[in-house]
Amino acid sequence: MASDTIEKGDIVWLEYDAWTVNPNGTQTLFDTTHDEVAKKEGKFEEKKVYIETPVVVGKGRLFEGLDAAVIGAKIGERKEVVIPAEKGAGVRDPRLVELKTEREFLRQEIDPEVGMAVSISGKRGIVTAVSAGRVRVDFNNPLAGKTLKYIVTPVRKAKTQEERVRAVIEMDYGLGEQFKIHLEDGASEIQLPDVCKTDEKWFVSKFRVVADLRELTELKTIRFVEEYEKKETKPEAAPPPEAEAAKAAAEPATPAETKPRKKATATKPKPTRRAAKGEAAAPREKAPEEL
């Protein structure tokens, strides 16, 4: 039976509230898995899903101070940890603040504004100033130089191979529960949900998923499957002969119904054909007063 104590290399799901500790002693929420906390602090995002998140422990995927706090903890154990900048996002590096020309942004049809997140040459940064055709971009981690505080609870950990595979997909792409996973003899067959077939994010995430599955699982073969099914329209079934006979018996034909009825249409009726020249006209039925 797997231990409830978290060890290096485990994949665990965490619930947490994360704050920056300001110089004046106040705290600012920057991330949480609880929607009620986000609403209370005025940080709620409609499109965000607030739920426990899977993480890899002891592999450099978490801040050093958070990693140290989680390793050795037990499932369900609530911990509060304050992390200095050097064991969090690191200290700020002035060399990562760069000046760019406004023209570089305009060529990409971007109108730079202060606070805008941008990606330049594969580096992600925040615009901190725009003036005189120059744009200052800070490529430091937004949390660099800040003291962090986490209130964290490990709620469960992956105990089976399938749980680890699903957790990796959830970490690197999302929608982990929508993938169909079949494992056998060190090989995996992973059937993609329909959304992946046209999602550009999946095309990029796939390579990271493969790399993490190789590192974090014992799989030797990883196969992704896209399934397309042709949907055929079924022909309308004809009513059984018994039903037709019963209908005919219930509705005896009248003289006017001995010929097939014409279907109603939205077109105007055709004018009555006049008798051609030399052709005898059909005898007209006399009115009673003409007799």
Side-chain angles (χ1 to χ4, degrees):
M1 182 176 178
S3 169
D4 281 342
T5 301
I6 298 170
E7 302 174 357
K8 182 178 179 180
D10 281 344
I11 298 178
V12 300
W13 279 260
L14 301 179
E15 288 184 354
Y16 60 84
D17 303 316
W19 314 73
T20 56
V21 181
N22 304 316
N24 61 3
T26 61
Q27 301 177 10
T28 303
L29 184 76
F30 70 87
D31 198 7
T32 181
T33 58
H34 304 106
D35 56 355
E36 66 275 11
V37 174
K39 290 175 181 176
K40 181 181 178 182
E41 298 298 319
K43 301 285 188 177
F44 183 75
E45 300 176 31
E46 289 287 347
K47 295 182 179 180
K48 182 176 178 178
V49 178
Y50 292 88
I51 191 171
E52 65 268 15
T53 184
V55 300
V56 183
V57 179
K59 294 284 188 177
R61 307 289 183 93
L62 302 176
F63 293 138
E64 181 183 346
L66 183 58
D67 238 354
V70 174
I71 293 176
K74 293 185 178 298
I75 298 299
E77 180 182 356
R78 182 177 182 271
K79 302 193 75 171
E80 181 175 322
V81 56
V82 176
I83 305 171
E86 56 270 21
K87 291 190 176 182
V91 297
R92 284 182 54 76
D93 185 349
R95 293 172 297 180
L96 295 179
V97 180
E98 302 179 11
L99 277 178
K100 304 288 183 180
T101 64
E102 191 172 10
R103 188 178 303 169
E104 291 181 61
F105 294 88
L106 297 179
R107 276 201 298 263
Q108 302 179 52
E109 298 182 353
I110 298 174
D111 187 11
E113 298 178 357
V114 174
M116 177 183 289
V118 296
S119 179
I120 301 175
S121 301
K123 298 188 298 181
R124 298 176 64 85
I126 302 293
V127 175
T128 58
V130 180
S131 62
R134 297 285 181 177
V135 180
R136 187 172 65 205
V137 183
D138 188 350
F139 291 103
N140 281 285
N141 187 308
L143 298 174
K146 297 180 179 181
T147 299
L148 309 178
K149 175 183 173 182
Y150 274 85
I151 300 174
V152 59
T153 304
V155 293
R156 60 191 175 98
K157 71 176 178 178
K159 296 181 180 180
T160 66
Q161 187 83 300
E162 181 176 338
E163 286 179 337
R164 289 181 73 88
V165 172
R166 205 173 292 280
V168 166
I169 295 172
E170 182 66 33
M171 284 188 296
D172 293 341
Y173 174 68
L175 306 178
E177 294 302 317
Q178 295 188 26
F179 288 74
K180 295 179 181 178
I181 299 171
H182 178 71
L183 305 176
E184 186 175 0
D185 298 332
S188 67
E189 183 175 283
I190 303 172
Q191 185 174 328
L192 308 182
D194 288 343
V195 66
C196 291
K197 298 172 185 176
T198 56
D199 186 7
E200 291 184 1
K201 180 185 174 185
W202 167 250
F203 301 150
V204 176
S205 302
K206 177 172 60 176
F207 300 100
R208 186 164 60 248
V209 170
V210 170
D212 279 348
L213 288 177
R214 285 173 173 168
E215 178 184 356
L216 302 173
T217 71
E218 299 175 356
L219 294 174
K220 298 175 182 176
T221 305
I222 302 162
R223 180 183 300 112
F224 294 111
V225 178
E226 294 184 20
E227 186 173 276
Y228 298 86
E229 182 179 350
K230 182 179 179 181
K231 296 181 180 180
E232 298 183 359
T233 305
K234 294 183 179 180
E236 186 176 347
E242 298 83 10
E244 288 289 346
K247 183 178 178 181
E251 299 179 2
T254 62
E257 294 177 330
T258 54
K259 294 182 179 180
R261 293 180 178 179
K262 293 183 179 179
K263 294 182 180 179
T265 67
T267 58
K268 293 181 180 180
K270 293 182 180 180
T272 304
R273 185 175 68 86
R274 292 183 179 179
K277 188 175 180 180
E279 182 182 355
R284 180 174 64 87
E285 186 179 351
K286 294 183 180 181
E289 60 271 17
E290 295 179 302
L291 295 174

